[in-house]
């Protein structure tokens, strides 16, 4: 604020004033629902997840193997050239242990999430997923090898959650 | 010269930043806009165009929010545009104002930013969950704090940075905000307070984070001809830059925001800045989290990659240091009504360059300052260079 300005506008309202009905409030809850098409590339990705495989798309111009796959390379701005499977193992690029749920309510047990750079994809091509079978998240390290834990085939529905989570691979877990 | 006309800032306005304000978004826009006009000595009839910046409609639950806010921003019967680039909006809005005048189309432009996050309850955080990819990310149960935690962790890992050093930013900014009359979370805290605060999503703790806020901010922009008529101390917009990366945020190395660097290079080139740390006297990089100030100092080329924590520890970024960073108190101290918070930073540089920042005034007669904002899925940077 400029020292030339002597008065600042804004009337603060305390949470209690709303709770106690001291100021007029009008409430509304939207009821809109959505059903998204997964698109051309991601539909294929999801169908492959249902079969227990992770598919990537490739660009012959820049040489990238891309996960999640796309039908166009955003760098070369041309159609991608093909499809290839990558492994369901990878490396932790970065991770977090969250004590916050999606609506910012607090959790007793943290959700562990990580960006996992998948083996067989171009360097740094990570996906976001959960990490499981870890007793204490403080044991996790960037660079740790992890592997996908899949839902049993009959429970898969063609969704990113067909992979339940990634878990540290044995050798790394005992380090 | 870039554009047909040089563009000056001649007035700024700001409301209080608070968790909840009684004002509607329109009323906040009006209060900030009127204050900026008064400061410039102009009236609404002098204004030829209006640019409004405000973040997701989901906070307010009011769709067509730009249109809803228009009359509060002084746009009645005027050429009007609402712009929105996530957290980058607050600095992008004056960039859009700049091209209104630099194009030669207008001589005056009122730039207004408003955010009212408190309408969304129990917590506006939930509105943020709708920014994620609906097919691949939302089923994981994404939370916005996670992605910052992932970025912070990667940044710390890459440069072997300790949390103690990052916490110094929060201590500095909340302390600086004690001198800001609009501040929501000004406080004298210690590094231990930060390190002992509630873990939200490791490594992010409670005191690493800016609050959610309501607030408004505004600027009056005019062409050089008008500036010469109405003021002896205009502040010039000498550089503008903006850049976006894709929403494939898990496909890039989060340790460094190269899209911020590209935006900065664009702005510096226009302003003729070749050696940013030497030629920039004061900076307001975007600091919704303490590590982001460091991350952005590096992206803005104010220091080498990984060097920002060291400069902070050495006191270089204090108000009386060689390169004052966030003398306002930033988002961590003043508050974070998203679009208004970004524009608050531009207001601060404006006041610093005019020597009007009162108790927050940095010493040494600053002539060149920058402000920067950042947003979307860790993918967007907007940079403005101001000169006296
Ligand atoms: Zn390509």
């Amino acid at each position: 604020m400029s020292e030339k300005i002597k008065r600042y506008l804004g009337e603060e309202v305390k949470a209690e004033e709303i709770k106690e009905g001291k100021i007029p409030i009008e409430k509304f809850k939207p009821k809109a629902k959505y059903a998204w098409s997964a698109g051309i590339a991601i539909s294929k990705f999801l169908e492959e997840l249902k079969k227990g495989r992770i598919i990537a798309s490739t660009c012959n111009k820049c040489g990238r193997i891309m996960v999640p796959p796309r039908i166009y390379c955003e760098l070369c701005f041309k159609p991608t050239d093909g499809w290839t499977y990558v492994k369901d193992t990878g490396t932790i690029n970065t991770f977090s242990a969250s004590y916050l749920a999606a609506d910012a309510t607090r959790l007793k047990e943290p959700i562990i999430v990580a960006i996992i750079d998948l083996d067989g994809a171009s360097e740094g091509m990570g996906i976001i997923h959960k990490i499981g079978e870890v007793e204490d998240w403080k044991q996790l390290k960037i660079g740790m090898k992890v592997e996908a834990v899949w839902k049993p085939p009959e429970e898969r529905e063609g969704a990113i959650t067909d992979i339940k989570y990634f878990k540290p691979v044995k050798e790394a877990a005992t380090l | 010269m870039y554009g047909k006309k040089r563009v000056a800032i001649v007035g700024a306005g700001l409301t209080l930043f608070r968790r909840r304000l009684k004002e509607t978004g329109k009323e906040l826009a009006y209060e900030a806009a009127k204050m900026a006009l008064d400061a410039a000595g102009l009236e609404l009839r002098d204004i030829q165009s209006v640019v409004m910046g405000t973040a997701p409609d989901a906070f307010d639950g009011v769709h067509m929010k730009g249109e809803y806010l228009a009359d509060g921003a002084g746009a009645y019967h005027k050429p009007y545009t609402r712009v929105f680039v996530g957290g980058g909006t607050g600095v992008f809005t004056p960039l859009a104002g700049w091209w209104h005048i630099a194009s030669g189309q207008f001589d005056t432009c009122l730039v207004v930013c408003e955010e009212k996050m408190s309408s969304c309850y129990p917590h506006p955080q939930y509105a943020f969950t709708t920014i994620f990819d609906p097919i691949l990310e939302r089923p994981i149960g994404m939370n916005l704090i996670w992605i910052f935690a992932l970025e912070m962790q990667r940044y710390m890992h890459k440069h072997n940075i300790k949390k103690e050093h990052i916490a110094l930013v929060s201590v500095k900014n909340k302390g600086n905000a004690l001198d800001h009359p609009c501040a929501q979370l000004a406080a004298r805290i210690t590094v231990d307070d930060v390190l002992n605060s509630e873990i939200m999503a490791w490594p992010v703790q409670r005191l690493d984070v800016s609050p959610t806020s309501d607030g408004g901010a505004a600027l009056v922009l005019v062409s050089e001809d008008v500036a010469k008529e109405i003021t002896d101390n205009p502040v010039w917009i000498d550089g503008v830059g903006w850049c976006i990366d894709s929403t494939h945020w898990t496909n890039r190395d989060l340790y460094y925001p190269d899209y911020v660097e590209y935006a900065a290079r664009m702005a510096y080139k226009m302003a003729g800045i070749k050696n940013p740390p030497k030629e920039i006297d004061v900076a307001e990089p975007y600091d919704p989290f303490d590590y982001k100030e460091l991350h952005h100092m590096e992206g803005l080329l104010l220091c080498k990659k990984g060097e920002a924590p060291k400069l902070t520890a050495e006191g270089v970024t204090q108000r009386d240091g060689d390169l004052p960073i966030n003398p306002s108190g930033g988002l961590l101290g003043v508050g974070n009504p998203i679009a208004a918070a970004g524009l608050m930073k531009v207001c601060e540089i404006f006041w610093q360059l005019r020597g009007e920042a009162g108790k927050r005034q940095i010493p040494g007669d600053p002539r060149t300052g920058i402000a920067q904002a950042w947003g979307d899925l860790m993918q967007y940077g907007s940079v403005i260079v101001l000169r006296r």
Side-chain angles (χ1 to χ4, degrees):
Chain A
M1 185 54 59
S2 168
E3 61 184 350
K4 288 187 175 172
I5 297 169
K6 301 299 175 205
R7 187 169 159 256
Y8 324 106
L9 299 174
E11 276 187 50
E12 186 168 10
V13 175
K14 299 287 181 195
E16 307 83 66
E17 293 180 86
I18 295 175
K19 259 189 208 146
E20 292 162 12
K22 284 188 179 158
I23 65 162
I25 293 281
E26 181 64 39
K27 294 186 178 181
F28 172 75
K29 190 172 184 177
K31 284 181 188 143
K33 293 181 181 176
Y34 299 86
W36 292 287
S37 159
I40 296 164
I42 299 301
S43 293
K44 187 173 177 86
F45 180 72
L46 297 178
E47 283 156 16
E48 291 292 341
L49 286 179
K50 201 170 179 179
K51 295 172 194 159
R53 300 186 296 223
I54 301 175
I55 200 160
S57 58
T58 56
C59 174
N60 290 347
K61 192 170 176 201
C62 64
R64 291 192 306 160
I65 300 170
M66 294 170 272
V67 193
R70 30 266 206 191
I71 60 165
Y72 61 91
C73 172
E74 73 276 16
L75 304 190
C76 306
F77 215 59
K78 63 178 260 317
T80 45
D81 295 291
W83 301 91
T84 187
Y85 293 110
V86 296
K87 293 194 175 154
D88 67 351
T89 58
T91 309
I92 294 181
N93 174 292
T94 182
F95 69 92
S96 174
S98 176
Y99 290 86
L100 290 181
D103 62 355
T105 51
R106 301 312 199 251
L107 303 168
K108 276 217 175 93
E109 288 302 316
I111 303 168
I112 304 169
V113 288
I115 296 176
I116 297 137
D117 291 346
L118 292 171
D119 292 333
S122 288
E123 194 186 343
M125 277 285 165
I127 60 166
I128 176 96
H129 219 297
K130 290 183 189 176
I131 300 287
E133 298 185 36
V134 176
E135 273 187 32
D136 181 354
W137 59 263
K138 293 188 181 92
Q139 297 168 346
L140 288 175
K141 297 251 182 310
I142 288 175
M144 225 176 210
K145 297 295 290 179
V146 291
E147 62 187 322
V149 176
W150 295 83
K151 279 183 182 167
E154 63 278 11
E155 287 176 26
R156 289 181 207 149
E157 50 193 6
I160 189 66
T161 46
D162 287 351
I163 295 174
K164 287 202 284 188
Y165 49 78
F166 284 77
K167 67 170 185 182
V169 301
K170 279 252 168 59
E171 308 83 73
T174 55
L175 277 180
Chain B
M1 193 175 80
Y2 287 74
K4 290 187 175 168
K5 293 178 184 175
R6 202 177 181 202
V7 181
I9 304 176
V10 293
L14 196 62
T15 70
L16 299 183
F17 285 6
R18 292 291 182 272
R19 175 68 181 85
R20 280 175 206 82
L21 288 172
K22 189 170 184 180
E23 284 90 338
T24 62
K26 273 184 200 240
E27 289 170 340
L28 287 172
Y30 165 75
E31 289 175 351
K34 182 66 174 162
M35 188 182 278
L37 283 172
D38 289 348
L42 295 178
E43 294 183 29
L44 188 59
R45 66 165 182 263
D46 301 317
I47 295 297
Q48 297 169 338
S49 61
V50 178
V51 181
M52 177 86 216
T54 188
D57 295 2
F59 287 139
D60 302 64
V62 177
H63 210 53
M64 289 197 348
K65 189 176 164 189
E67 293 81 342
Y68 165 72
L69 294 168
D71 59 301
Y76 178 73
H77 279 192
K78 290 185 194 298
Y80 172 74
T81 311
R82 178 245 181 130
V83 296
F84 169 49
V85 283
T89 303
V91 172
F92 181 71
T93 312
L95 302 189
W98 173 83
W99 78 56
H100 275 63
I101 295 172
S103 66
Q105 188 70 32
F106 303 105
D107 279 304
T108 54
C109 183
L110 182 57
V111 170
V112 188
C113 285
E114 166 287 335
E115 215 67 69
K116 193 165 175 70
M117 300 173 75
S118 65
S119 307
C120 183
Y121 76 102
H123 197 285
Q125 194 58 244
Y126 199 67
F128 276 126
T129 61
T130 59
I131 71 175
F132 293 101
D133 184 278
I135 314 293
L136 297 183
E137 293 173 355
R138 283 193 229 179
I140 309 284
M142 297 298 299
N143 172 299
L144 190 71
I145 305 285
W146 293 7
I147 68 175
F148 301 123
L150 293 166
E151 189 180 68
M152 180 172 174
Q153 178 95 298
R154 184 74 189 164
Y155 174 61
M156 289 169 65
H157 171 80
K158 194 84 176 186
H159 299 301
N160 196 21
I161 296 166
K162 292 192 164 53
K163 277 215 65 183
E164 293 85 300
H165 294 147
I166 292 175
L168 284 169
V169 173
S170 199
V171 173
K172 168 177 72 71
N173 291 5
K174 286 178 190 294
N176 282 353
L178 288 164
D179 295 324
H180 201 302
C182 296
Q184 179 181 346
L185 278 188
R188 217 176 296 287
I189 59 165
T190 65
V191 166
D192 280 344
D193 290 336
V194 180
L195 299 181
N196 293 328
S197 63
E198 178 192 6
I199 297 174
M200 299 178 83
W202 183 261
V204 172
Q205 292 175 261
R206 179 97 221 154
L207 291 177
D208 292 314
V209 187
S210 60
T212 58
S213 316
D214 293 353
L219 294 175
V220 178
L221 309 190
V222 302
S223 66
E224 185 165 19
D225 294 344
V226 173
K228 281 180 177 158
E229 276 175 37
I230 65 169
T231 182
D232 294 327
N233 50 355
V235 168
W236 302 101
I237 298 178
D238 271 2
V240 297
W242 64 102
C243 182
I244 197 162
D245 203 316
S246 76
T247 56
H248 291 298
W249 61 278
T250 61
N251 288 171
R252 58 176 163 267
D253 198 327
L254 299 173
Y255 92 97
Y256 184 72
D258 50 9
Y259 47 91
V260 171
E261 181 186 323
Y262 301 147
R265 285 188 185 280
M266 176 179 165
Y268 296 162
K269 186 180 175 205
M270 177 174 156
I273 291 173
K274 299 203 169 60
N275 185 340
K278 283 252 152 42
E279 295 175 54
I280 291 165
D281 302 317
V282 54
E284 283 271 336
Y286 205 59
D287 63 323
F289 292 66
D290 44 12
Y291 81 95
K292 289 304 305 185
E293 174 173 308
L294 306 168
H295 211 228
H296 289 148
M297 282 171 64
E298 295 171 16
L300 290 165
L301 308 172
L302 296 174
C303 60
K304 294 194 185 98
K305 290 180 185 175
E307 197 184 46
K310 184 169 156 273
L311 296 185
T312 306
E314 290 169 357
V316 171
T317 62
Q318 297 283 346
R319 273 194 206 130
D320 58 359
D322 284 345
L323 182 53
I325 302 288
N326 284 322
S328 67
L331 278 49
L332 288 162
V334 187
N336 188 9
I338 304 181
L343 196 60
M344 177 276 289
K345 290 178 165 293
V346 186
C347 294
E348 179 70 10
I349 298 296
F350 171 73
W351 288 319
Q352 289 285 349
L353 298 185
R354 299 233 297 195
E356 290 179 12
K359 281 200 220 163
R360 302 188 313 285
Q361 185 64 47
I362 63 162
D365 195 27
R367 304 194 71 86
T368 304
I370 63 168
Q372 172 253 338
W374 164 89
D376 300 332
L377 276 172
M378 303 189 285
Q379 70 186 111
Y380 185 83
S382 43
V383 178
I384 194 165
V385 179
L386 303 187
R387 275 213 192 93
R388 179 151 58 83

